[in-house]
Amino acid sequence: MSTAQADVIATAFPDIASLTAADEKALTQCKGVTGALAHAIRLELAPGELEDERRSSRLREEAQAFIEEGEYDAALECYDRLLRSRPEETSVWFDRAELLVLLDRPEEALQCYTRILDFDPANRQASYERANLLFGLGRLSVAVDALRDALRLEPSKSREVVQKAEQLRRDGHPNEAVLLFRAILEIAPDDPRAILGLGDTLIDLGDSDAAEAQFARALGRDPQNAPILFRKGALLERKGRWGAAVQYYNRAIALRWNYPEPWLAKGDILLNHARPREALESFEKVASFDPQRIEAWAGAARAHAALGQADEAEAALANGARFGADHPAVLVAREAIAQITGARPAASEPLEPITDLPSLAKAFEAIEEEVEAPESSVPPDFQSFVESIEPEKEDTHVLLQLAELAIEGGDPQMGLLRYEQAIEREPRNADAWTGKGVALQQLERFREALEAYDRALSLKPNHELARKWRESCARHVPSEANE
C-alpha cells in the first residue's frame, strides 16, 4: 500500500471502527484502491467477516441456481442457512418471502415481512407486500389497516390500492371498501376512481345523502368530470327528480359525447315519461358508437314498441339478443313487444263496437285539457322534449352552464330556453339576460335580443359582455344602427 492510498483510506475512514465496518465495495470507492487491496485490507482487519461474506455470497448463488432449476425446497434451505448466521439481512428475508409465496405458503411469507418490519418499521416494500398477503388471505380488517399504513409510507401505490377497494366492493364487502377508499382519499384527495368508488359504495350501503355530498365535493373541485356528473344524475333520479337528473346526464354527454351510461339513463327516463321518440334517439346514439351494447338495442326495442312499431322493435331486439339472449334488458324488451303484438286483434275477429260515444268524447276532452300547454316560442317537438327534462329544483348557475353548453354546441334554441328558466328564478340576473340576448341574436331575432341586452345593462350598467353584444346586434337593426 502506498502512502497516497493510505492517506485516501484514512480520510474516508478516520477511525478503526469505521474502517473495520467497511466492506470491499466501500473500500474500492476510494481513489487508487484496487479490488485486491480492498480484499487484503478486509482479510487483515476482519478475517472472520470476510469469510462470512464469501459464504453468504456462495449460498445466494446456490439458491438462485436451485430456483432456476425448479428446486425450490433446496433454495429455501439455502436461505434458511443464510438467516441463521445473518438474521438481520433484510434482502434475504425478501427473497425467502417471494419463494414461500411461489410455494403457496403465504402464512410463512407473512412472517418474513413481519420480521423485516421488526428490523425496519418504515420499510415501504415490506409494509405493502405484507398488506397484499393479508388481502389475499381474506383477513380484510387487518389488510385494510395494513394497506392504510402502506399508503402513508408509499403514496404512489394509491392507484393499485384503488383496485383492491373496487374488488372489495365487487365481492360484497362494502364496509371495508369504504374504509379503504377513504384511506386513499386521505393521501390523494382528487383521485377520481376513489371518489367514484366511495360514492358508489355509499349508495350500496343505502347512504345516498353521504354519496351525494361526496359527489358534490368532487364536482366542486372538478366540475367538468363526466363520470361524477353521471353519478350525481343517477342519485337525483333515485330521488325522483327526473328533470334534474336529465340535466346532469346532458352535462355529462356534453363533456363526453360517446359516454354510454348517461345516454342510456336519459333514454330510460324519457321512455318512462311517455317520450318514446326522444328515448329512441338516445338508445340509437349509444348503438351507433357501441354496437355491442345490449341495453342500447333493448332500449330501442322498447321505444319502438311504445311507438307501436312492432317490426322495428323485433329487429332491434334481435340485434340485442345476439349478444345476450338472457340479458335482463332483453327480457324486458321482449315482454314490451309481446304486449303490443298480443294486443292486436286477428283479422277475422270483429272489433268490439264503441257504444258509449258521449263518455268517450268527454274522456278525450279531459285528456286535451290535461296536456294543453301554454304557447311557446319554440317548436312543438322541441317543447315536448324540454318538458320531459324540466330542471325542477336546479340552481341558477347550473342553468347558466347548461345554456352556455347548448350555445357552444350550436343549439341556440335550447340555450334560449335555459336562459329563460334562469331568469324565472332570478329576474335580476344580468348574466342570464345577456345570455338570452346572445341566443336570440343567433336565432336572428335581433330586436328581442336588443331588449334583452338593454335589460341586462339596466341591471348592471358596466356589464362589458352585454355592451359588446348589443353593439354587434345593433348593426342588424337599421333604426338602432343609425341612432
Side-chain angles (χ1 to χ4, degrees):
M1 181 189 304
S2 67
T3 304
Q5 290 171 324
D7 289 341
V8 171
I9 293 172
T11 302
F13 307 99
D15 52 57
I16 192 64
S18 61
L19 183 58
T20 303
D23 59 15
E24 290 186 20
K25 184 177 180 181
L27 288 167
T28 56
Q29 301 300 312
C30 297
K31 184 178 180 180
V33 178
T34 64
L37 179 57
H39 178 72
I41 293 171
R42 290 288 296 147
L43 188 60
E44 180 68 26
L45 294 175
E49 290 185 15
L50 183 60
E51 181 60 31
D52 188 44
E53 288 172 5
R54 286 179 174 177
R55 178 175 173 274
S56 296
S57 178
R58 187 180 68 254
L59 284 171
R60 280 181 177 277
E61 291 173 0
E62 288 179 8
Q64 187 59 40
F66 282 130
I67 290 173
E68 291 175 0
E69 294 172 1
E71 298 289 340
Y72 300 131
D73 289 329
L76 189 62
E77 176 60 28
C78 290
Y79 289 138
D80 289 342
R81 290 165 60 192
L82 263 172
L83 289 170
R84 280 195 289 269
S85 61
R86 308 185 75 172
E88 76 288 347
E89 191 70 46
T90 58
S91 61
V92 180
W93 285 109
F94 274 117
D95 292 339
R96 186 175 189 273
E98 291 178 8
L99 186 55
L100 287 166
V101 170
L102 195 62
L103 291 169
D104 196 23
R105 293 158 63 178
E107 290 287 354
E108 294 176 70
L110 191 62
Q111 293 173 11
C112 292
Y113 293 124
T114 302
R115 188 65 180 271
I116 295 170
L117 292 170
D118 290 339
F119 291 124
D120 181 10
N123 191 299
R124 293 177 292 183
Q125 183 182 354
S127 178
Y128 186 67
E129 295 300 339
R130 176 177 176 271
N132 274 337
L133 275 177
L134 288 167
F135 191 85
L137 289 167
R139 293 155 64 176
L140 298 182
S141 59
V142 183
V144 168
D145 290 337
L147 284 168
R148 184 187 293 110
D149 294 338
L151 274 176
R152 293 193 183 102
L153 293 172
E154 187 65 70
S156 63
K157 296 288 188 182
S158 61
R159 292 185 179 180
E160 298 175 27
V161 178
V162 164
Q163 296 176 8
K164 297 187 182 302
E166 291 171 340
Q167 183 181 335
L168 284 171
R169 177 178 175 246
R170 289 193 301 270
D171 293 346
H173 303 288
N175 292 309
E176 290 81 1
V178 165
L179 293 174
L180 199 49
F181 279 127
R182 284 179 170 155
I184 296 163
L185 291 172
E186 288 176 9
I187 304 298
D190 295 328
D191 188 303
R193 285 180 65 178
I195 292 169
L196 290 173
L198 177 56
D200 290 342
T201 310
L202 289 169
I203 292 173
D204 295 341
L205 290 167
D207 196 347
S208 297
D209 292 337
E212 187 170 3
Q214 176 68 25
F215 292 142
R217 284 193 296 271
L219 287 173
R221 288 191 293 266
D222 182 12
Q224 305 301 312
N225 189 306
I228 296 178
L229 286 167
F230 166 69
R231 297 303 202 288
K232 172 78 171 178
L235 278 174
L236 291 169
E237 183 178 350
R238 288 165 64 100
K239 293 182 175 182
R241 294 181 57 192
W242 318 111
V246 173
Q247 297 296 340
Y248 277 93
Y249 295 151
N250 283 339
R251 290 170 66 185
I253 289 167
L255 292 167
R256 192 195 300 177
W257 72 271
N258 60 346
Y259 184 15
E261 275 68 23
W263 281 111
L264 293 171
K266 175 180 171 181
D268 283 334
I269 290 177
L270 292 169
L271 188 57
N272 292 334
H273 288 76
R275 294 289 184 271
R277 197 170 302 280
E278 292 89 341
L280 180 61
E281 293 175 2
S282 294
F283 294 127
E284 288 181 339
K285 178 67 73 174
V286 177
S288 70
F289 58 74
D290 189 359
Q292 295 187 7
R293 189 65 182 254
I294 297 174
E295 295 92 333
W297 291 113
R302 289 164 52 216
H304 280 301
L307 290 167
Q309 300 168 349
D311 293 339
E312 291 86 345
E314 292 283 3
L317 180 62
N319 283 328
R322 283 189 301 138
F323 304 110
D326 295 327
H327 192 281
V330 171
L331 299 179
V332 172
R334 188 173 287 127
E335 182 179 344
I337 294 172
Q339 289 178 357
I340 65 165
T341 55
R344 289 179 175 175
S348 59
E349 296 178 3
L351 294 174
E352 184 178 346
I354 299 175
T355 57
D356 192 5
L357 291 177
S359 297
L360 185 63
K362 289 181 180 179
F364 276 121
E365 288 175 5
I367 293 172
E368 289 174 359
E369 288 176 2
E370 288 177 4
V371 301
E372 186 176 355
E375 293 185 5
S376 171
S377 59
V378 296
D381 290 343
F382 181 80
Q383 182 66 27
S384 66
F385 171 73
V386 166
E387 288 171 355
S388 71
I389 56 172
E390 198 63 37
E392 298 180 4
K393 300 178 182 178
E394 202 57 86
D395 294 334
T396 302
H397 76 278
V398 174
L399 290 170
L400 293 177
Q401 290 176 2
L402 291 169
E404 291 170 7
L405 287 172
I407 295 292
E408 292 171 3
D411 191 352
Q413 194 74 276
M414 176 65 82
L416 175 60
L417 181 80
R418 295 297 177 235
Y419 283 124
E420 287 177 342
Q421 290 169 341
I423 289 168
E424 287 179 8
R425 283 164 173 71
E426 291 187 27
R428 298 185 62 79
N429 190 307
D431 292 335
W433 282 103
T434 301
K436 179 179 179 179
V438 172
L440 288 165
Q441 186 170 339
Q442 291 191 13
L443 292 169
E444 298 185 3
R445 292 159 61 180
F446 300 115
R447 291 194 179 279
E448 293 175 73
L450 285 174
E451 292 174 3
Y453 295 138
D454 289 340
R455 182 61 184 275
L457 291 168
S458 69
L459 295 169
K460 189 176 180 181
N462 61 345
H463 199 295
E464 188 65 20
L465 196 61
R467 185 184 61 78
K468 288 183 177 180
W469 274 101
R470 191 191 189 287
E471 291 174 359
S472 170
C473 183
R475 301 190 190 102
H476 298 277
V477 182
S479 61
E480 293 286 337
N482 295 331
E483 287 182 3

